[in-house]
Amino acid sequence: MHPVIDVGDLDGALAQAADGLRRAKRVAALTGAGVSAESGLATFRGGGGLWEGRAVEVVATPEAFQRNPGLVWRFYNLRRAGLRSARPNAGHLALVDLEKRWGERFTLITQNVDGLHQAAGSGRVLELHGGLARVRCTGCKAVTQRAGEALPDLPSCDACGALLRPDVVWFHEMLPESVWRVACEAVEACDCFLVIGTSAVVYPAAGLIDMARALGACVIEVNLEPAAIAAGLIGLYGPSGQVLPRLIKRLDESAT
Ligand code: BJW
Ligand code: ZN
């Protein structure tokens, strides 16, 4: 177990994190909404975490969609529109850099639906909660790419006419099985696990952190503040768009 680092001692924690990474044969990373905050996208919880007074737990459920699909689509159409001008930030690019260094021994797992890791150039992204670029038909179940397209508040399927929904995972829904399985395998196999910009309150994604810790991986958290799971981790506290590039730089410097 790594000693707990003072939240303020970023230099010391960076040295420790770089050391953990350098030693790792396999690396996995889990990202959340915080990694895209510096691209101008709102996070779910905390200050900007409400939409017109509604918590995400109220809008992002199949029950909410059944009750009021127009309202739920309005929420998603606003976010889809916001994506058109959003660009990857230095945090996304640092994760592309890690993938280049570790190749197939690096796995990027994201809870985000914004597609910014792919836009940055990450080759293999495991999307645990789906993607906003796609829609799924509630009738024939066909999944189609509709990125960058303005959709009406009650969009319908070209093939069968049924109502479309965003291809995302709502509360009470199962995560895509094959994506989840590959994510678990990557976490089980990694020696170093980066947890970036997530409050780690949503399961089963947050369970990956316990899994990595229980299996003895070096777990590094990058966040503005310690998340719920922070005990015993190496904590790099600051904006990921600044902290991750510093971590990469530190990797290139000789070990202390
Ligand atoms: C920065 C920063 C900067 C800011 N730099 N950092 C076990 C235990 C307890 C509960 C459950 C459990 N198993 C299942 C549950 C129920 C439920 C759940 O977890 N509920 C909890 C809230 C209690 N889970 C589910 O329902 C899941 N399904 C499931 O388990 O299926 C089995 C089942 C079937 C049938 C019945 C019951 C169970 C599905 C979860 C799906 C989550 N979906 C959402 C919406 C996706 C679509 C969309 O985008 O609209 O996913 S909810 C929302 O939360 C979204 C996110 O991916 C997810 C996580 O949020 P994230 O990314 O952590 O964001 P924030 O805002 O919370 O945090 C941002 C962080 O960034 C903060 O820490 C900031 O400090 C930090 N930050 N700026 C670095 N610049
Ligand atoms: Zn259809």
Side-chain angles (χ1 to χ4, degrees):
M1 184 67 66
H2 300 272
V4 179
I5 287 263
D6 183 323
V7 168
D9 181 17
L10 184 56
D11 275 334
L14 277 167
Q16 221 190 347
D19 197 43
L21 265 175
R22 242 183 248 117
R23 290 167 199 267
K25 287 200 179 66
R26 291 184 179 275
V27 176
L30 171 71
T31 64
V35 80
S36 297
E38 288 152 89
S39 296
L41 301 182
T43 60
F44 293 95
R45 297 168 185 86
L50 293 177
W51 176 63
E52 293 182 3
R54 297 172 181 89
V56 64
E57 285 78 2
V58 176
V59 188
T61 68
E63 295 79 17
F65 188 65
Q66 225 169 9
R67 222 173 17 246
N68 195 342
L71 176 109
V72 173
W73 259 115
R74 204 148 59 78
F75 171 63
Y76 283 98
N77 276 339
L78 273 174
R79 288 175 55 202
R80 283 169 54 86
L83 285 189
R84 276 180 232 139
S85 54
R87 299 287 171 266
N89 64 56
H92 296 103
L93 296 175
L95 288 160
V96 177
D97 191 319
L98 289 181
E99 184 181 53
K100 286 197 181 123
R101 289 166 192 247
W102 269 269
E104 293 195 340
R105 292 175 293 114
F106 176 81
T107 305
L108 180 55
I109 306 162
T110 189
Q111 298 169 85
N112 297 346
V113 296
D114 57 31
L116 288 182
H117 286 305
Q118 294 90 330
S122 286
R124 197 164 58 104
V125 184
L126 299 177
E127 290 182 317
L128 293 182
H129 295 162
L132 273 184
R134 301 182 297 274
V135 295
R136 191 179 347 135
C137 177
T138 58
C140 68
K141 311 295 176 204
V143 174
T144 43
Q145 287 283 344
R146 304 289 286 266
E149 201 181 319
L151 294 171
D153 283 349
L154 287 175
S156 58
C157 174
D158 290 340
C160 77
L163 182 63
L164 295 174
R165 57 164 283 176
D167 189 31
V168 299
V169 180
W170 285 324
F171 285 109
H172 315 142
E173 293 185 322
M174 305 297 285
L175 274 55
E177 204 183 311
S178 60
V179 176
W180 176 245
R181 196 185 55 246
V182 177
C184 289
E185 286 166 4
V187 173
E188 279 163 14
C190 77
D191 318 287
C192 184
F193 189 41
L194 288 151
V195 180
I196 305 157
T198 177
S199 57
V201 296
V202 173
Y203 284 79
L208 294 172
I209 303 163
D210 287 326
M211 191 189 288
R213 198 162 26 191
L215 293 170
C218 162
V219 183
I220 300 165
E221 174 179 45
V222 180
N223 202 312
L224 296 181
E225 59 190 20
I229 39 69
L233 312 184
I234 300 174
L236 305 179
Y237 297 113
S240 50
Q242 294 175 29
V243 168
L244 287 173
R246 280 183 71 179
L247 178 59
I248 301 280
K249 193 159 167 267
R250 194 73 209 217
L251 260 184
D252 289 332
E253 292 165 6
S254 56
T256 49

